[in-house]
Amino acid sequence: MTRAGRAGAFLWSGWAGLAGLSLLGAAWQAGHEAYGHFILPAPVETLAAAIALAGSERFATVAGETAVRALTGFGIAAGIGAGLGIAAGYSFATLRAVRPLMTVLLGVPPIAWIVLALIWFGASGGTVVVTVVVAAAPIVFGAAAEGIATRDRGLDDMARVFGANAAQRFATLSLRALAAHLFPALAVALGTAIKVAVMAELLTSTGGIGGALASARAQLDVVQAIAWVLVAVALLLLLEYALLQPLRAELERWRRAAEPWGVRR
Amino acid sequence: MSVLALEGVGHAYFGRFVLEQVRIEVRAGEVLALIGPSGSGKSTLLAIAAGLLDPLRGRVVRHYARQAMVFQEPRLMPWATVAENIAYPLRLAGVAAGERRARAALAARAAHLAPEDLARFPVELSGGMRQRVAIARALVGAPDFVFFDEPFTALDVGLRRAMQDMVIETAAGSGFSALFVTHDVQEAVRVAHRIAVLDAAGKGIAGERAVPGEPGLRSPREVFATALGFLEEDPLFRGVERAEERRVGWA
């Protein structure tokens, strides 16, 4: 299948996702009718508010602030997590030394990191980025270490017979084994980055979508609050489907070839 | 002149010796079949000869420039197409992309793969086709020496014969030397110039026999008669097609 064909098939598969989202909308509407406007505003009204927000002057500043902080934290977390994970995947001594640290990092709730970062760095964008890094890096680390440690050693031997040095084996074999584990983890880490960034902004009053949510809560404006949540979700979907999924689809074409016909359509 | 020599090679796993004092010489242009019962250390010996394992004792002397190997399983990269898999050794050698494609197509044709198979992924191929891709990959770089590790065990009889013929033709055409590990005496008689029998306990080479005639020129009747003669009348071949694994002793 050509690249355009794959893109078309992917877009066509969006109908199924749209059906799932319609079910959520129906449940939301039912909740609205049962509990009233103040508790749960109507989905159409909230959607209209979100669209109005997107057209407003301050939208680019507010959403951009959150996006930059989340992406900076995500980028640093992906770099540190993948780097350490690759090293740990090759060296079991390193894996044994680093894994408990990552478990500790994963075990501490992000809210605790926000409090500590507030004390260490004050109420600034840096606090948000640090919290995102601490929350997302262990996810990437675990996947990278797993990807390298479970690589097919038979392929490594095959490459060695044909004269591949360590760098060639890493570039041509290990990176592909790594990608299969890394991409799902990067998608989770990106989601975590957006969620933690909004939460940190809300608690540290440093602007962004979290800041806008705090202000909506102070004014008891439920429509605005949910509209900002929709904006955060839209931001996550945009980043995931514009950045991660195209790269993943390109690298994992062969998996699609292995799918039964009925699953592909 | 020998292109590959194993001199007093020995190897042990976790203190248990699986090979001791193995001496083998493969001459230029010669296909040497190495046979022995299952578990006698044939694959370990091949890995040592190919440089995948460092022997605990002895040494390996190689007088060739390029080597290749066909493993028992195809060992293809699942994410790469047939063409990319076949061209892998050329990619490692830094050959330009255009030349890689052309040479991969030629090697695929020699392995009886259709041009439309080149764009497929390994998951879309049958077991026999995957092994043909592995053979094409081994031959694409015009190697001087090829290691075969029971490459056709998983294939049905017809395909196995076709693949053996392909090895015989290519070896005769390009003149590479080969060490061909198998536990099938008939296969050894078909493809090899000479057969070395590994001791059942891995304690050196029990003996060698030259196979009458030339590979590719032996009729099926001759192959069958020679193999039967070896198995029924020659004590060297007693037990070589035994299926059960041997038990290794402590070092």
Side-chain angles (χ1 to χ4, degrees):
Chain A
M1 197 186 273
T2 62
R3 192 165 290 137
R6 287 198 302 276
F10 175 72
L11 288 175
W12 183 253
S13 72
W15 287 112
L18 210 58
L21 287 176
S22 302
L23 282 176
L24 175 69
W28 183 352
Q29 180 66 32
H32 163 69
E33 285 172 17
Y35 297 103
H37 172 81
F38 183 73
I39 301 291
L40 194 61
V44 174
E45 186 189 354
T46 314
L47 203 61
I51 290 167
L53 270 181
S56 67
E57 270 179 28
R58 66 180 187 130
F59 176 78
T61 319
V62 173
E65 235 169 16
T66 303
V68 167
R69 285 165 181 166
L71 275 180
T72 308
F74 170 75
I76 296 171
I80 293 174
L84 277 176
I86 289 169
Y90 278 115
S91 152
F92 286 107
T94 312
L95 182 63
R96 279 193 283 270
V98 179
R99 191 171 262 168
L101 295 177
M102 292 298 162
T103 310
V104 169
L105 287 183
L106 270 177
V108 178
I111 193 90
W113 288 116
I114 293 169
V115 172
L116 287 174
L118 256 177
I119 295 167
W120 294 334
F121 306 105
S124 68
T127 297
V128 179
V129 172
V130 167
T131 316
V132 168
V133 171
V134 173
I139 301 169
V140 182
F141 166 83
E146 185 85 7
I148 294 292
T150 60
R151 72 191 185 280
D152 186 344
R153 303 293 208 280
L155 285 181
D156 261 5
D157 280 350
M158 179 276 294
R160 282 174 58 204
V161 163
F162 287 108
N165 57 34
Q168 284 177 315
R169 292 201 302 276
F170 178 73
T172 58
L173 302 175
S174 303
L175 272 183
R176 296 303 294 254
L178 180 69
H181 285 77
L182 201 57
F183 276 105
L186 285 178
V188 174
L190 186 62
T192 304
I194 301 268
K195 280 188 282 189
V196 170
V198 170
M199 185 165 66
E201 284 170 347
L202 191 145
L203 292 170
T204 55
S205 306
T206 48
I209 293 175
L213 265 175
S215 135
R217 180 195 56 183
Q219 293 160 20
L220 290 176
D221 189 343
V222 186
V223 175
Q224 281 288 304
I226 300 182
W228 277 115
V229 171
L230 280 186
V231 167
V233 171
L235 186 64
L236 169 63
L237 290 177
L238 180 75
L239 290 177
E240 186 175 337
Y241 284 93
L243 280 180
L244 287 182
Q245 294 298 346
L247 201 57
R248 185 182 184 180
E250 198 57 36
L251 284 175
E252 308 226 320
R253 273 188 300 145
W254 67 277
R255 284 193 197 278
R256 208 171 152 69
E259 286 171 353
W261 189 86
V263 176
R264 285 185 218 176
R265 297 286 147 183
Chain B
M1 181 201 158
S2 72
V3 283
L4 174 77
L6 275 68
E7 298 172 355
V9 164
H11 198 69
Y13 289 114
F14 304 111
R16 292 175 174 202
F17 267 93
V18 290
L19 290 171
E20 285 178 85
Q21 284 299 319
V22 177
R23 291 175 193 283
I24 288 178
E25 274 194 5
V26 183
R27 295 185 277 266
E30 180 189 44
V31 176
L32 173 68
L34 179 69
I35 65 172
S38 289
S40 57
K42 301 187 297 288
S43 292
T44 301
L45 190 63
L46 201 72
I48 289 171
L52 289 175
L53 263 182
D54 290 326
L56 202 65
R57 289 179 189 160
R59 65 181 194 139
V60 181
V61 183
R62 302 181 186 91
H63 293 291
Y64 55 79
R66 284 181 306 278
Q67 66 172 29
M69 187 161 176
V70 183
F71 295 86
Q72 208 165 351
E73 332 78 50
R75 300 201 187 184
L76 304 177
M77 298 175 288
W79 56 80
T81 61
V82 166
E84 289 162 347
N85 266 295
I86 294 175
Y88 186 64
L90 303 177
R91 182 181 170 194
L92 294 174
V95 175
E99 191 186 337
R100 282 205 307 255
R101 272 194 298 275
R103 285 173 67 179
L106 281 177
R109 195 189 307 161
H112 305 289
L113 289 161
E116 58 266 28
D117 293 332
L118 289 171
R120 291 189 177 166
F121 290 101
V123 284
E124 298 174 284
L125 306 178
S126 67
M129 285 171 85
R130 285 180 205 166
Q131 199 61 345
R132 273 185 275 166
V133 174
I135 293 170
R137 177 182 63 195
L139 302 179
V140 75
D144 310 311
F145 200 100
V146 185
F147 295 94
F148 293 91
D149 185 7
E150 301 190 41
F152 311 133
T153 308
L155 305 184
D156 60 65
V157 178
L159 195 55
R160 184 188 289 205
R161 274 185 65 110
M163 292 296 100
Q164 288 166 357
D165 287 341
M166 188 188 142
V167 169
I168 293 165
E169 280 165 30
T170 325
S174 64
F176 65 68
S177 310
L179 182 57
F180 195 108
V181 165
T182 178
H183 60 256
D184 178 351
V185 175
Q186 236 186 102
E187 182 170 70
V189 169
R190 277 202 92 212
V191 302
H193 296 89
R194 194 158 53 99
I195 300 176
V197 181
L198 193 60
D199 177 74
K203 290 182 177 165
I205 297 296
E208 289 182 8
R209 296 289 180 267
V211 184
E214 277 291 307
L217 301 177
R218 300 170 189 132
S219 69
R221 190 182 294 274
E222 282 171 326
V223 169
F224 183 75
T226 309
L228 196 66
F230 281 154
L231 282 169
E232 292 200 338
E233 291 158 25
D234 193 332
L236 180 63
F237 288 84
R238 194 168 295 142
V240 290
E241 289 192 331
R242 208 178 60 215
E244 72 267 25
E245 301 279 317
R246 81 175 161 92
R247 291 154 67 143
V248 292
W250 292 98

